[in-house]
Amino acid sequence: MKLELVPIPVADVDRAKAFYADRLGFTLDVDVTPADGVRVVQLTPPGSACSVGFGTGVPAYQGTPGSVRGLHLVVDGIERARDDLIGRGVDVGAVQDVGGGVRYAGFEDPDGNGWTLQEMAWRTGDAF
């Protein structure tokens, strides 16, 4: 089994699409309107096999915008990833060392859905 899509509830599909593509640098995979009132947008983080999706007219995309928390983007250099996102206009919090070689830095999308950059010392370089 492979996890390939995480639905995220958003209030404004175009605003979310711009944030994920332009600010986070995710690749736009799909933006289709297959039926009246239905829009499906999917984007994939660089290097990931799992995409995020949002849109309208699909039950999976219903929910309270901003209610998703704890989505992790695992990186092999948290300072570099954080600096890149800040340079793209993302408000990323300070890097927190939680021990055991794990470090985090959090941010939110325009709706308040919570994301975490995560670096694990044993998953860097060739082990990433």
Side-chain angles (χ1 to χ4, degrees):
M1 288 185 222
K2 294 180 184 179
L3 178 64
E4 292 192 359
L5 180 69
V6 176
I8 300 174
V10 300
D12 182 321
V13 174
D14 289 322
R15 180 181 70 180
K17 177 183 166 185
F19 176 80
Y20 284 94
D22 301 338
R23 300 269 194 230
L24 297 185
F26 287 18
T27 299
L28 177 63
D29 301 314
V30 174
D31 185 352
V32 297
T33 305
D36 287 342
V38 176
R39 183 172 177 195
V40 175
V41 177
Q42 294 180 2
L43 299 103
T44 303
S48 180
C50 186
S51 302
V52 296
F54 44 82
T56 58
V58 176
Y61 298 145
Q62 294 175 352
T64 304
S67 61
V68 173
R69 296 279 184 265
L71 296 171
H72 283 55
L73 294 171
V74 178
V75 297
D76 68 350
I78 197 164
E79 283 90 1
R80 183 176 63 250
R82 181 178 180 270
D83 290 346
D84 178 58
L85 291 181
I86 289 171
R88 293 170 166 269
V90 179
D91 184 15
V92 183
V95 174
Q96 304 291 318
D97 188 332
V98 297
V102 179
R103 301 189 309 157
Y104 294 113
F107 64 93
E108 294 181 345
D109 74 6
D111 287 293
N113 293 303
W115 287 85
T116 300
L117 295 176
Q118 180 186 46
E119 178 188 86
M120 296 176 282
W122 60 93
R123 290 183 67 184
T124 60
D126 291 341
F128 182 63

